[in-house]
């Protein structure tokens, strides 16, 4: 009976160790599966983030290119408008200079001066009496504004 008790004790102990070994193996298996799943989720999440980042960059670059094209069209339009305004201003300046030289020639004739002197360098030498008559004629005929613009 002592041998039976010893054998019974050994059998109980062996059975408990087998139960603990099975529990440890199960825990090890499930923890390995959990770690594998966690790594897979992290991999898919980082892959998704990288895809979103690349997609956002692609969309941003497309928007920037579209904005640059619109700005380029707007600047070309503005440049053409500026060129048209410059051409118009050059025509106006030419007309004003012609008007100015005609006004000097007309004033020189009216005051008894030489129209060729007035048209040559745009300067006339007048006496005080001729200057007073010219101012009166300018004011009376509305040519003062044309003279002031030509100055």
């Amino acid at each position: 009976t002592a041998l039976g008790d010893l054998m019974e004790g050994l059998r109980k102990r062996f059975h408990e160790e087998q139960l603990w070994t099975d529990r440890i193996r199960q825990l090890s298996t499930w923890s390995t599966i959990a770690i594998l799943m966690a790594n897979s989720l992290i991999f898919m999440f980082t892959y998704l983030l990288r895809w979103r980042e690349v997609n956002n960059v692609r969309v941003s670059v497309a928007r920037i290119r579209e904005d640059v094209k619109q700005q380029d069209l707007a600047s070309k339009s503005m440049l053409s408008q500026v060129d048209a305004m410059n051409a118009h201003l050059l025509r106006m300046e030419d007309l004003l200079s012609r008007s100015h030289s005609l006004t000097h020639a007309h004033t020189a004739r009216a005051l008894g001066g030489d129209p060729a002197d007035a048209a040559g360098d745009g300067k006339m030498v007048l006496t005080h009496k001729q200057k007073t008559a010219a101012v009166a004629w300018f004011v009376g005929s509305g040519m003062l504004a044309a003279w002031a613009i030509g100055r």
Side-chain angles (χ1 to χ4, degrees):
T1 81
L3 183 62
D5 287 342
L6 178 65
M7 290 299 278
E8 184 67 26
L10 284 174
R11 192 174 48 84
K12 272 185 177 178
R13 190 169 177 195
F14 179 76
H15 184 65
E16 284 178 15
E17 285 181 10
Q18 282 294 325
L19 288 175
W20 277 107
T21 303
D22 287 345
R23 285 182 188 163
I24 290 172
R25 279 190 194 138
Q26 275 185 339
L27 183 64
S28 175
T29 301
W30 286 111
S31 62
T32 302
I33 290 172
I35 289 171
L36 182 65
M37 294 301 283
N39 281 340
S40 298
L41 286 174
I42 290 172
F43 175 76
M44 287 188 295
F45 182 70
T46 55
Y47 185 77
L48 176 69
L49 287 179
R50 177 69 179 151
W51 177 81
R52 278 183 50 196
E53 180 182 339
V54 168
N55 193 33
N56 286 341
V57 167
R58 205 174 290 141
V59 167
S60 297
V61 166
R63 285 181 185 161
I64 289 171
R65 285 184 178 153
E66 184 179 323
D67 288 344
V68 166
K69 284 180 184 176
Q70 288 177 354
Q71 290 293 330
D72 190 35
L73 289 174
S75 65
K76 285 180 182 177
S77 172
M78 287 176 56
L79 284 175
S80 67
Q81 289 176 357
V82 166
D83 288 341
M85 288 177 66
N86 280 339
H88 182 69
L89 286 175
L90 286 173
R91 285 194 307 269
M92 292 297 291
E93 188 176 293
D94 184 47
L95 288 173
L96 283 175
S97 67
R98 287 182 190 172
S99 172
H100 183 66
S101 64
L102 287 175
T103 303
H104 274 293
H106 186 55
T107 304
R109 263 192 239 106
L111 297 175
D114 186 14
D117 288 342
D121 59 359
K123 295 182 181 177
M124 268 186 346
V125 179
L126 300 175
T127 64
H128 180 66
K129 184 177 180 182
Q130 287 175 329
K131 287 179 185 177
T132 306
V135 169
W137 180 78
F138 275 157
V139 172
S141 66
M143 296 302 287
L144 184 60
W147 176 78
I149 291 172
R151 285 303 246 179

